[in-house]
Amino acid sequence: MSHIAHIELDDANLPPPTPEIEQERRVAMFDLMEHNSFVLPQRDDRIVPSGPYNVGLSIREKRLVFDVVTEAHEKAAEFHLSLSPFRQVVKDYFQICKSYFEAVKNLPPSQIETIDMARRGIHNEGARVLQERLEGKVTIDDDTARRLFTLVCVLHFGG
């Protein structure tokens, strides 16, 4: 199965992340490397290099950029996605995460669980938007979409 063997975030021009954002990033990257599905479809009559792939993820000129190369550093694909469809869900996700991190410090488990369920729902919505935006470019499973959405949020944090 095709998959991501390595992912790199271009966050050089972003402000330093908060400890919570850095933790989200570490967990998403670890989970992504443990298991993911990333399949480039056949397009036109061009041969698609087979995976595994190394993926660079960045924001350039207000666009989300996926730079995909093979492990042998052969260019496999590059996608540029508008950030507009992500703006609201990323904003909502950061708001609910902030509430969650505050709740963990002060609230009883039942209230934390309620906020966490809302956080997961917004996260799933972001993953769905990402899958829709990538349709026809790459096929990813739900777990891969969730982890990639987390990394999109990390990049959005500074942008």
Side-chain angles (χ1 to χ4, degrees), residues 6 11 13 36 50 60 71 79 84 94-95 133 143 153:
H6 176 76
D11 60 355
N13 296 324
N36 69 78
S50 60
R60 285 189 241 147
E71 287 188 305
F79 329 127
S84 296
F94 277 128
Q95 285 293 118
R133 302 295 300 144
D143 288 338
C153 288

Side-chain angles (χ1 to χ4, degrees), residues 83-149:
L83 288 171
S84 296
F86 296 101
R87 280 200 180 91
Q88 189 61 51
V89 72
V90 168
K91 180 180 176 185
D92 293 346
Y93 185 65
F94 277 128
Q95 285 293 118
I96 198 75
C97 282
K98 184 177 178 183
S99 297
Y100 175 77
F101 294 135
E102 287 301 314
V104 169
K105 296 175 190 173
N106 306 316
L107 297 178
S110 62
Q111 288 178 308
I112 294 169
E113 186 176 317
T114 300
I115 294 169
D116 191 45
M117 286 175 56
R119 181 174 78 133
R120 278 186 256 143
I122 294 169
H123 197 246
N124 287 339
E125 174 63 15
R128 185 191 62 74
V129 169
L130 183 60
Q131 283 177 306
E132 284 178 3
R133 302 295 300 144
L134 289 172
E135 191 171 325
K137 296 170 180 60
V138 64
T139 303
I140 55 178
D141 64 13
D142 292 343
D143 288 338
T144 301
R146 286 177 52 78
R147 293 165 185 145
L148 286 173
F149 175 72

